[in-house]
Amino acid sequence: MDYKHILKDLFFAGLKSVDPHTGVKNYIGEVLSEYKTGKYETLLTIGFGKAAYQMALAVEESLGDLLTNGLVITKYGHGGTLKNIKIEEAAHPIPDENGLKATNRMIELLKKNATEKTLVLCLISGGGSALLVAPYKGITLEEKKDVTKLLLKAGTDIEELNTVRKHISRVKGGRLAEHCYPARIISFILSDVIGDRLETIASGPTAPDETTYKHALRVLKKFNLFKKVPPSVLDLLRKGEKGIIPETLKKDNPVFKKVTNIIVGNNKKALQAIKHQAVKLGFNAQIISAELSGEAREVAKFLANLALKTQKTSPNLPLFLISGGETTVTVKGPGIGGRNTELALAFALEIAGKKGITLLSAGSDGTDGPTDAAGAIVNGDTVHKAKDLGLDPERFLENNDSYNFFKKIRGLFITGPTGTNVMDIQIIVVDSP
Ligand SMILES: Nc1ncnc2c1ncn2[C@@H]1O[C@H](COP(=O)(O)OP(=O)(O)OP(=O)(O)O)[C@@H](O)[C@H]1O
Ligand SMILES: O=C(O)[C@H](O)CO
Ligand SMILES: [Mg+2]
């Protein structure tokens, strides 16, 4: 049986469940009932992230004229026009002048409107760290850009990257919530972070921060960046460590009595929808984990072993094994690829020649690394097919050239931008050999 179409359908069923527009609509009742208590005179919407426009659209559709005002910042090409909420576009992943201007305007808007009688609805999604940008006093936008580039290139994970970003910002690490004080804040969050850590998603602008200046300095030390970052950044972090400037907001801060953070979509939700749909189609299905991390080719080995073992021992075939999370790729070769195509290629090598196993691995945002593909689909024939075409799959993996590998054997899974982002998804179907 050719499972490719079923795998694709299941992937899209997963995406549907984490559509940011639907996510907002599912929870908007909480905002409405709070607003209708009569305690508020003003209902403000702010937001930032790659899904900000879709989320804001849902807010406008649901709240209409109740909305007083609003401003959200999204990535270039991801915006649109709304009636009450102003949409600004800015650069991602390296921030730019537009992001800075829009963020300053957001802070002004909050300053003008934030009273006890204001309810702020804050829409947060992945990419928010770059789009909401307000460097701490003493740091220029250029310097902020330089640090971001250095950290991204050094291979920091999102926790490490955001630990530094939070400590050189006037809005991250809970500081945006401070700008809203004494208004009430409800944040709707589409999570693109493993474990849905509120302080990490978009650098936790409305969440208490557990990291400190010391942690930020530790990140710079770990990646040997002390001499590379702009001196103003090092200076700021050191001042912070000495207690000369205030820390990011911690959980005992009274500001957080005013805040409710709600996750409206995450990887786990997508995996659950996939499982649900597989079962509806009459298959057995099992969620492995929504927190897969580690080097993509190692994760591929783990998943391949699991699939092979399942094939030998499970009485319930065909069985769908569903997982998600975000792997990493240490890019050593000159090739083109993303986490998902790299994982898929490594997986194909592990199951070469075996019958009955097919894997789909793809980014939920429809973009895998710097490519136009979401990921790839492989089975036990993939490696043979490549060899028949005179290609050496191992060589492609060595060169981190998985995108070109799948392009040549027509194994790419291309969706275009999906409008959501809850990290990556793998679906494996294991059938009898
Ligand atoms: N040649 C390559 N082969 C495999 N992976 C690569 C290659 N080049 C870059 N990558 C990986 O692609 C990832 C960047 O992809 P992408 O832009 O989808 O990032 P992301 O983490 O999903 O960010 P975003 O939240 O902006 O979508 C990095 O993890 C990087 O290691
Ligand atoms: O914006 C960010 O910090 C990342 O996308 C994680 O949320
Ligand atoms: Mg991506």
Side-chain angles (χ1 to χ4, degrees), residues 131-164:
L131 298 164
L132 187 75
V133 55
Y136 206 87
K137 207 170 142 232
I139 296 179
T140 65
L141 177 65
E142 278 314 309
E143 290 166 339
K144 183 98 192 241
K145 281 187 186 175
D146 288 345
V147 193
T148 313
K149 279 182 208 157
L150 282 168
L151 290 164
L152 282 174
K153 217 173 133 211
T156 52
D157 66 26
I158 193 68
E159 301 283 341
E160 292 165 333
L161 172 63
N162 286 357
T163 296
V164 178

Side-chain angles (χ1 to χ4, degrees), residues 184-202:
R184 165 89 168 107
I185 306 172
I186 299 180
S187 289
F188 282 176
I189 303 169
L190 183 70
S191 169
D192 68 334
V193 162
I194 289 195
D196 301 333
R197 287 169 57 84
L198 294 176
E199 67 168 298
T200 305
I201 306 165

Side-chain angles (χ1 to χ4, degrees), residues 28 69 129 142 145 162 175 233 235 356-357 400 408 431:
I28 201 79
N69 206 336
S129 292
E142 278 314 309
K145 281 187 186 175
N162 286 357
R175 285 171 171 157
V233 169
D235 192 47
I357 299 174
N400 299 111
K408 288 203 158 74
D431 205 346

Side-chain angles (χ1 to χ4, degrees), residues 71 73 99-109 133-135 170:
L71 171 64
I73 312 167
L100 182 74
K101 278 192 200 146
T103 305
N104 280 332
R105 229 172 307 132
M106 191 181 290
I107 294 171
E108 285 307 311
L109 183 71
V133 55
R170 292 192 290 130

